[in-house]
Amino acid sequence: MEVHVDENGFIHFNGMDELLMEIENLMDGWVFVDRIFKIDILQCNDFVFVEDALYESLVGRGEIVPKSLGEKGFVSWMPTETLMDIISFERGKSEESNDIKGAVVYYLGNDDFKD
């Protein structure tokens, strides 16, 4: 699969399937989504990964989303470490992609720490 890296060094994935196929190759960082799709993440076509070191250099004090992503309507979705934990746990039960996506959606709907 060809990965799209934009001029800022952000890695774009076309849908959750692409993201899930590459998640184990990503370093620690954050995944962002268009705020419209935060409600129905399975419809999202643009997941953006930003490595921690790059992320920390781009966000100012009190900011959560790099300015260039925020201007395009992106919001923070989850850290890759959390996403990999969900995937690892679910893979212990099932290898089905739909089960893994369902586990991610379930986590998001039941996360006590989300805003």
Side-chain angles (χ1 to χ4, degrees):
M1 173 182 59
E2 187 173 323
V3 183
H4 170 68
V5 180
D6 70 17
E7 68 278 358
N8 297 306
F10 304 156
I11 302 173
H12 292 256
F13 296 95
N14 186 16
M16 191 183 296
D17 288 329
E18 277 191 12
L19 175 65
L20 293 177
M21 286 180 2
E22 289 295 318
I23 192 70
E24 292 174 0
N25 298 322
L26 300 177
M27 299 191 163
D28 289 340
W30 284 85
V31 179
F32 298 88
V33 296
D34 188 311
R35 83 171 37 92
I36 294 168
F37 293 108
K38 195 168 184 180
I39 296 166
D40 185 0
I41 200 66
L42 296 176
Q43 299 299 316
C44 185
N45 291 323
D46 197 9
F47 290 83
V48 179
F49 167 76
V50 180
E51 185 179 339
D52 272 346
L54 179 58
Y55 173 76
E56 290 172 12
S57 72
L58 293 172
V59 294
R61 185 177 206 150
E63 293 178 1
I64 297 173
V65 179
K67 186 176 181 178
S68 61
L69 286 176
E71 289 172 349
K72 294 177 183 173
F74 281 79
V75 293
S76 140
W77 187 51
M78 75 171 64
T80 54
E81 183 178 7
T82 301
L83 184 54
M84 288 192 286
D85 286 346
I86 296 166
I87 292 166
S88 294
F89 178 78
E90 191 60 32
R91 279 192 180 145
K93 299 185 317 182
S94 171
E95 283 291 324
E96 293 293 319
S97 176
N98 286 337
D99 292 343
I100 293 170
K101 289 191 282 189
V104 171
V105 171
Y106 178 83
Y107 171 82
L108 290 169
N110 294 284
D111 178 13
D112 290 335
F113 295 104
K114 71 178 181 182
D115 37 46

